[in-house]
Amino acid sequence: MRIEDKEGKYSIILDSAVKVFAEFGVENSTVSKIAAKAGVADGTIYLYFKNKKDILIKFADDRGEKIFRKFEEAVNSGKDSKEKLFNLIYSHIENFSKNKDLAVVYQCELSKIHGCQPKIRELSIRYRQMLKDIFLLGQSEGRVSKNVDLDFIKDLVSGSINEIINTYIVKENKNIDILEASGKLVDFIFKGLG
Amino acid sequence: MRIEDKEGKYSIILDSAVKVFAEFGVENSTVSKIAAKAGVADGTIYLYFKNKKDILIKFADDRGEKIFRKFEEAVNSGKDSKEKLFNLIYSHIENFSKNKDLAVVYQCELSKIHGCQPKIRELSIRYRQMLKDIFLLGQSEGRVSKNVDLDFIKDLVSGSINEIINTYIVKENKNIDILEASGKLVDFIFKGLG
Amino acid sequence: MRIEDKEGKYSIILDSAVKVFAEFGVENSTVSKIAAKAGVADGTIYLYFKNKKDILIKFADDRGEKIFRKFEEAVNSGKDSKEKLFNLIYSHIENFSKNKDLAVVYQCELSKIHGCQPKIRELSIRYRQMLKDIFLLGQSEGRVSKNVDLDFIKDLVSGSINEIINTYIVKENKNIDILEASGKLVDFIFKGLG
Amino acid sequence: MRIEDKEGKYSIILDSAVKVFAEFGVENSTVSKIAAKAGVADGTIYLYFKNKKDILIKFADDRGEKIFRKFEEAVNSGKDSKEKLFNLIYSHIENFSKNKDLAVVYQCELSKIHGCQPKIRELSIRYRQMLKDIFLLGQSEGRVSKNVDLDFIKDLVSGSINEIINTYIVKENKNIDILEASGKLVDFIFKGLG
DNA sequence: TATGAATGAGTATTCATTCAT
DNA sequence: AATGAATGAATACTCATTCAT
C-alpha cells in the first residue's frame, strides 16, 4: 500500500466526518456514522485519529489551514487595498458557498469544541491581522482615514463578513450573487472608513 | 411556601443551568451538575422542566424575551435614528457584559439546540427588523442614503454588533469601554450609510 | 370525622387503584395516578396503605374475600350438586361481568405480585375445594361416577371457568349470555363426569 | 467467528432472559441481570435486541413458534381425533414440563407485554383452531355429538389444558405423570362431547 | 492494516416514599 | 388528617474505544 493511500483514507475519513458533522451536528455524530459514510470499519478510524475529538482538531488544522492559504493568495493577488479586500471577501464567500458542509461545521460546530479552539483562535487572529494589514495599506494609499481605530474596525469587518456567511449560506442556504455581495460590502466598508 | 419561592426555585435552576452551560458547554453539562449548582436534588429539576432540553428552551424564551424588551426600550428612548442605534448597541453590549454566562450561552450554545431555534430565529428576525426600522427612519431623516440595500446592510450591522460581543465578551473576556465602543460603531455605520 | 369516613377514603383509594391497575396494568400504574383518580394527595395514600404493593395485597384480601363470600352463598343456595355448580358458575361470570376492572386485575395482574400470592393461592385452593365438595355431593347423588379422580377434575373445571372469564370478559370484552354459558358449561361437565 | 456463534450468543441471551424473567418476573428483571446471567456486558444485549421489550417479543416469536410446530407435529401424527387430542395434550405438558422457565414466562408474563400480544394472540387463535379441527374430525368420525357448540367447547378445553399447566407446572412445581394426566383429560373431554 | 464484536462507563429520567407545613 | 414539594435510588440505553482475529 502506497503512502498516498494512507493520506487518501485519512482524507476520506475527514471529508466524511465533515459531512456527518454538518448533517447531524457534532454531538449527534457518532464514530459509527462517520465510519459508515467513509466506507471503513469503526476501528479503522482509530488508526488515523487518536479519538473522536481528534477528528475535529485535525479538521480545524488541515482544512482551516488549506482554506486560509487561499485567502492569503486572494489578498496577495489584489493590487491595492480595495481590491485586496474585495478578493478576500469574494474568496471567502465563494469557498464557503462551494462547500456548505465545511461552512456549517466551521461557523457553528467547531468553536465549541475545546481542543479546536487553539487553531480556531489562531485562524481568527490571522484573519483579522490580514484585514488590519489591508486597512494599513489603505491608510498609506490615502483611502482610509488615519483617525479610525483599525483594531476596532477590523473586528467589525470580520463580523460583517461572518454574518454574510451565516445568513446566506448556513442559515438561509440561499444562492447568493457573490460578485454583487462582495462589491456592496467593500463599498460600504470603504465608505465608512473614508 | 410563598409564591415567590416557587418562582424562585424555577429561577434558581435556570440561573444555575446557564452557569453550568457557560462553563462546560451544553453537551458536557449534566442534569446532576445543574442540580448540584442549584442546590436541589436531580429529580427536582423535573418538577420545573420537562427535560434537559426544556431548560434551554425556557431559557431562550424567558431570558431572551426579557433582554429583548430592554433593547426595544432602548430604541424607543432614542430621539432620532442615530441615537436609537447608539442606545440599542449600548444596551446590547451593557446587558451582555453584565451577564457573561448568558452571553456565552446565547452566542454559542443556544443556536444549535433544535427546540430553541424557533425562539432564537424569532428574536433574530425581530432584532434585524429593529435595525431596518432604524435605518428607514434614518432615510426619512436624510441621514442614510436612499441608494443602500437596507436588507443587506442590516445583516452587516447585526454581524458587527455580534462580533463585538463575541470578541470582547465571549472570547477575550475583556473589560470594554461600552460608551466608546458604541460610539465608534455607530459613527462607522452611519458614515458608511451616508 | 366519623369512622366510616376513614373506611370511606380507604375504599375510595382501593376502588381507584383497581380502575388504574385495570387501565394501565400494575407496572404502569403510579401512586400519583391512583391518588389523582381518588381525589387525594399522593401522601394521603400512605396514611391508609404501607406502600404501593400493600394496595394490591389489601385489594386481594378485601375484594377477593368479599367476592368469594358471594360464591359461597351461591353454592349454598343450590339444592343439589348440579344446581350448586350452575349457581357458582353463574355467580362467577355475573360478578366479573359487572366489574370488568376487577376481573382484569384478578386474572392478569394480581398473580404476579409476590405479596399477593398467599391470598390468591388461598382463594384458589378454597375455590377448588368448593368444586370438589360439589362433585363429592354429586357422587353421593349418583350423578358423578365414582371412578373419576376428583382432584384432577376440579382443576379442569376451574380452568374451564377461568377460560370463559378470560375469553369473554377480559380479552374479547363481549357481552355474554350468562344463563346460556353457565348452562352449557354445567351440562358439558356433568356429562363428562357421568 | 462462526455463524453458529452469533446464533449462539443470541440464543444464550434469550435463554438467560427467560431464566431471569421466570425468577424475578419481567418487571423486576433488569437488563444488567440478564447480561450477567448470559455472561456478557450490558451493552452487548443491544447488539442482538432493540431494547428490553424486544427480548420478550423475540422470545414470543421464536420460542413460541418453535414449540407450536411441535404441537402441530404431535397432532399430525395422531391417526384419529382422540389420538390427535391426546398427542397434543401430551406434547403440551411434556414440553412445558421440560422447560419450566419457559412455561412460567409464557403463562404469566408474556400476555401483558404490549408488543408481545400480537404473537401471543396469534398462537392462542391457532391453538384453539387446532382444537376445533380435532373436534370437527371427531364429529365426522361419529365420536363427537353434532349438537355441541364447538366454538364454546374449544375454549373450555383450552382452559382445562392451561389449568393443568398452571397448577402442576407453574404453581405447584410438581412432577406429574404426563401419560396419566393426558389420558384422563382426553377421556373426560370425549365423554363430555359424546 | 483492517475489522467489527464486545465492552462498560456515563446519564437522563422516573417514581415510590418522606416530611415539613 | 391531609398535603404535595422534594428527594434520590434505580435503570434502560448509548457510544467512544479496544482488541482478538
Side-chain angles (χ1 to χ4, degrees), chain C residues 25-27 108-109 111-112 114 121 124-125 128 145 148-149 151-164 167-168 171-172 176 180-182 184-185 187-189 191-194, chain D residues 23 25-28 108-109 111-113 121 124 128 145 148-149 151-153 155-164 167-168 171-172 176 180-182 184-185 187-189 191-194:
Chain C
V26 168
E27 287 303 329
C108 306
E109 303 290 338
S111 60
K112 305 173 42 184
H114 226 75
R121 184 173 287 252
S124 170
I125 290 171
R128 283 138 97 206
S145 159
V148 299
D149 175 353
D151 280 318
F152 187 77
I153 289 301
K154 74 177 192 321
D155 293 337
L156 301 192
V157 173
S158 168
S160 299
I161 298 173
N162 252 326
E163 186 75 12
I164 299 293
T167 304
Y168 293 97
K171 283 191 211 151
E172 318 262 338
I176 180 176
E180 191 197 342
S182 308
K184 273 192 209 163
L185 186 45
D187 283 343
F188 173 75
I189 290 165
K191 194 159 176 213
L193 299 175
Chain D
E23 185 176 352
V26 168
E27 289 301 333
N28 293 314
C108 304
E109 302 292 337
S111 59
K112 305 174 43 186
I113 309 300
R121 185 173 283 255
S124 169
R128 283 137 104 204
S145 158
V148 300
D149 175 353
D151 281 318
F152 187 77
I153 289 301
D155 293 338
L156 300 192
V157 173
S158 167
S160 299
I161 299 172
N162 253 327
E163 187 74 11
I164 300 294
T167 303
Y168 293 97
K171 284 190 209 151
E172 318 263 336
I176 181 176
E180 192 197 341
S182 307
K184 276 192 209 161
L185 187 45
D187 284 343
F188 173 75
I189 291 164
K191 193 156 177 218
L193 297 174

Side-chain angles (χ1 to χ4, degrees), chain D residues 104-149:
Chain D
V104 169
V105 176
Y106 241 96
Q107 301 291 103
C108 304
E109 302 292 337
L110 227 49
S111 59
K112 305 174 43 186
I113 309 300
H114 222 76
C116 302
Q117 289 186 358
K119 187 67 186 181
I120 294 294
R121 185 173 283 255
E122 181 214 315
L123 291 179
S124 169
I125 290 171
R126 279 163 68 189
Y127 193 92
R128 283 137 104 204
Q129 184 60 45
M130 246 181 356
L131 285 174
K132 193 174 175 184
D133 289 343
I134 290 172
F135 294 136
L136 279 168
L137 176 62
Q139 285 183 329
S140 73
E141 291 168 355
R143 259 199 181 92
V144 172
S145 158
K146 304 236 166 178
N147 296 324
V148 300
D149 175 353

Side-chain angles (χ1 to χ4, degrees), chain A residues 27 108-109 112 128 149 152-153 155-156 158-160 163-164 167-168 181 184-185 188 191-194, chain B residues 27 108-109 112 128 149 152-153 155-156 158-160 163-164 167-168 171 181 184-185 188 191-194:
Chain A
E27 287 303 330
C108 305
E109 302 290 337
K112 306 174 44 185
R128 284 138 98 206
D149 175 354
F152 186 77
I153 290 300
D155 294 337
L156 300 193
S158 167
S160 299
E163 186 75 11
I164 299 293
T167 303
Y168 292 97
K184 273 193 210 162
L185 187 45
F188 174 76
K191 193 158 176 213
L193 298 174
Chain B
E27 289 302 331
C108 304
E109 302 291 338
K112 305 174 44 186
R128 282 139 102 205
D149 175 352
F152 187 76
I153 289 301
D155 293 338
L156 300 192
S158 166
S160 299
E163 186 74 12
I164 299 295
T167 303
Y168 293 96
K171 283 190 211 151
K184 278 191 206 162
L185 186 45
F188 173 74
K191 196 159 175 211
L193 297 175

Side-chain angles (χ1 to χ4, degrees), chain C residues 65-78:
Chain C
E65 191 59 40
K66 224 173 256 178
I67 216 162
F68 204 80
R69 295 267 170 73
K70 291 187 185 170
F71 294 171
E72 286 177 326
E73 282 171 28
V75 169
N76 289 336
S77 71

